[in-house]
Amino acid sequence: MSVQAFIGIGANLGDARANVLDAVERLRRQPGCELLAVSSLYRTAPIDSSGDDYINAVARIATTLDAESLLQALHGIELAHGRERPYRNAPRTLDLDLLLYGDEQIASATLTVPHPRMTQRAFVLAPLLEVAPEIIVPGLGPAAAFAASVADQAITRLA
């Protein structure tokens, strides 16, 4: 049985656009995952950090992997791009966040779903609402209800 999950994708080091597109391709080829949809790419300024602008997207997948296994697969894709975690919100070659995993709410030592800051970030909400306009964030309600609260965050949809 498969579960629908949403993955936030972002990068701001190196060729950020190429890194995001490669992550999408790696998700497409990931065993146990079927890529259902990918948002447009978006450019955003870093939040609580410094460095170049980010390129962001959201992927919608169906997966037979449990949430922890999916998280490990995402970390593997990040590592293939040389992801380092020197400090919180550090610039990154690639960042993959498990935003939603079905309608589950997960709070483990390694994973929190829904992603704890997803409703506070335009770079998550805009691409998420593009691929799933009616999506409900478990425990919080419709994702669209949070769009107005992030309207002041600069975000540009790329062609």
Side-chain angles (χ1 to χ4, degrees):
M1 184 168 125
S2 70
V3 172
Q4 197 167 135
F6 292 85
I7 313 299
I9 308 169
N12 78 330
L13 290 178
D15 187 338
R17 179 188 289 258
N19 291 347
V20 168
L21 294 175
D22 183 68
V24 169
E25 184 55 35
R26 288 173 186 260
L27 282 171
R28 183 183 318 278
R29 297 190 320 253
Q30 178 65 44
C33 294
E34 177 188 358
L35 187 64
L36 301 175
V38 180
S39 72
S40 301
L41 299 182
Y42 292 80
R43 178 181 305 279
T44 59
I47 295 179
D48 300 332
S49 186
S50 59
D52 294 338
D53 284 353
Y54 277 83
I55 302 297
N56 296 99
V58 166
R60 180 180 189 170
I61 66 169
T63 184
T64 55
L65 300 175
D66 63 65
E68 292 285 345
S69 297
L70 179 56
L71 179 66
Q72 291 308 310
L74 298 178
H75 286 171
I77 294 170
E78 289 178 342
L79 286 173
H81 279 268
R83 168 75 191 265
E84 296 177 357
R85 299 170 189 269
Y87 54 92
R88 182 177 158 91
N89 294 328
R92 52 205 67 169
T93 54
L94 186 63
D95 184 33
L96 299 175
D97 289 326
L98 180 52
L99 302 172
L100 298 169
Y101 184 84
D103 59 2
E104 291 191 31
Q105 295 182 57
I106 302 167
S108 74
T110 56
L111 180 61
T112 303
V113 174
H115 190 280
R117 292 172 302 285
M118 67 177 284
T119 59
Q120 302 165 14
R121 305 292 197 235
F123 66 81
V124 173
L125 286 175
L128 176 65
L129 290 170
E130 180 185 332
V131 296
E134 305 298 321
I135 192 73
I136 303 296
V137 180
L140 298 176
F146 295 93
S149 67
V150 300
D152 62 333
Q153 297 175 20
I155 183 166
T156 304
R157 186 173 172 176
L158 303 176

